[in-house]
Amino acid sequence: DQQVKQNSPSLSVQEGRISILNCDYTNSMFDYFLWYKKYPAEGPTFLISISSIKDKNEDGRFTVFLNKSAKHLSLHIVPSQPGDSAVYFCAAAGDFGNEKLTFGTGTRLTIIP
Amino acid sequence: DTAVSQTPKYLVTQMGNDKSIKCEQNLGHDTMYWYKQDSKKFLKIMFSYNNKELIINETVPNRFSPKSPDKAHLNLHINSLELGDSAVYFCASSQDLGTGYGYTFGSGTRLTVV
């Protein structure tokens, strides 16, 4: 039972354009969402997060949008750069007494120079 | 100076063997985790420890046993290894998800059982 889903296994975007990665979740108890970036042979690294009391959080070129009614979040990267090529994982947590993160299966983003 | 380090990075072993993976964090975090990334690239939690106390134990076979000698270390022992245990195992630590920084992951241990 996959509670966090990333339905696009891969995405290719031209350098300089916007990359939009999508994530859907089914558990309404989730109230905190994160995006991680992973390069080959490395562990995932934290990118940006958003709590359920917000609908947008921005950090430099990265913006995460949360639509709670649709149980959907997205990560926007503008402008996309070659170094952004990686696998992006969406993750969710609920109930702050339990720090468990539930991850999606990832989207491989390729930035085309 | 690696924040979360795990050893070994690669581990190839035969079925039936017992092996351990070590993890250490120097971030002063209270909580540590083991995650497994299977062949479908699905990252799934196995265990979490908070200040040496087991907090989360997902549906993991008894052959897997975490050991936390102190809050900076969380080792994973696997007995009687099976082919299906082949995966990448990630250690992670966190202080408080409410700080907005999530987990810090190690670089992973690729376990191959032959």
Side-chain angles (χ1 to χ4, degrees):
Chain A
D1 175 30
Q2 219 170 306
Q3 298 183 65
V4 179
K5 300 178 185 179
Q6 294 174 255
N7 292 319
S8 298
S10 62
L11 175 68
S12 294
V13 175
Q14 287 270 316
E15 182 178 358
R17 307 291 286 265
I18 183 171
S19 295
I20 300 176
L21 296 102
N22 293 303
C23 178
D24 296 294
Y25 62 96
T26 58
N27 188 340
S28 57
M29 297 301 291
F30 287 145
D31 57 8
Y32 193 72
F33 304 90
L34 306 91
W35 284 94
Y36 279 81
K37 177 179 177 178
K38 185 181 181 306
Y39 293 118
E42 294 184 13
T45 55
F46 172 76
L47 203 53
I48 193 169
S49 64
I50 189 167
S51 79
S52 59
I53 61 171
K54 293 186 173 182
D55 54 19
K56 176 182 173 181
N57 188 25
E58 194 171 347
D59 183 1
R61 297 185 298 113
F62 302 93
T63 304
V64 55
F65 295 92
L66 175 62
N67 182 334
K68 282 196 303 181
S69 60
K71 294 192 177 68
H72 177 84
L73 63 155
S74 60
L75 175 67
H76 292 211
I77 306 173
V78 181
S80 300
Q81 298 174 353
D84 296 330
S85 294
V87 177
Y88 289 78
F89 289 95
C90 168
D95 178 9
F96 274 105
N98 175 352
E99 303 278 300
K100 167 183 163 182
L101 286 183
T102 300
F103 283 84
T105 49
T107 297
R108 180 177 300 279
L109 175 65
T110 302
I111 304 303
I112 305 164
Chain B
D1 191 21
T2 307
V4 179
S5 60
Q6 42 181 125
T7 54
K9 193 167 178 67
Y10 299 96
L11 183 55
V12 181
T13 187
Q14 290 189 322
M15 281 176 57
N17 283 351
D18 303 338
K19 289 293 179 187
S20 295
I21 306 172
K22 295 185 176 181
C23 179
E24 175 181 5
Q25 55 100 359
N26 62 7
L27 298 166
H29 288 169
D30 288 333
T31 308
M32 296 185 72
Y33 311 82
W34 278 108
Y35 272 77
K36 178 181 179 180
Q37 187 178 32
D38 59 23
S39 58
K40 295 181 181 177
K41 307 301 181 188
F42 194 36
L43 264 168
K44 191 168 182 183
I45 192 167
M46 300 173 69
F47 302 102
S48 79
Y49 268 73
N50 182 281
N51 275 319
K52 303 194 297 174
E53 181 184 349
L54 181 64
I55 302 297
I56 295 172
N57 183 348
E58 293 289 298
T59 317
V60 178
N62 291 337
R63 300 181 294 102
F64 290 79
S65 55
K67 298 269 193 304
S68 182
D70 55 62
K71 77 172 195 177
H73 295 83
L74 181 61
N75 303 323
L76 183 65
H77 301 276
I78 315 170
N79 296 324
S80 303
L81 278 154
E82 300 177 357
L83 293 176
D85 298 332
S86 295
V88 182
Y89 293 84
F90 288 98
C91 177
S93 71
S94 71
Q95 185 59 24
D96 175 3
L97 285 183
T99 64
Y101 293 103
Y103 295 178
T104 302
F105 280 88
S107 57
T109 296
R110 181 175 293 277
L111 170 66
T112 303
V113 182
V114 297

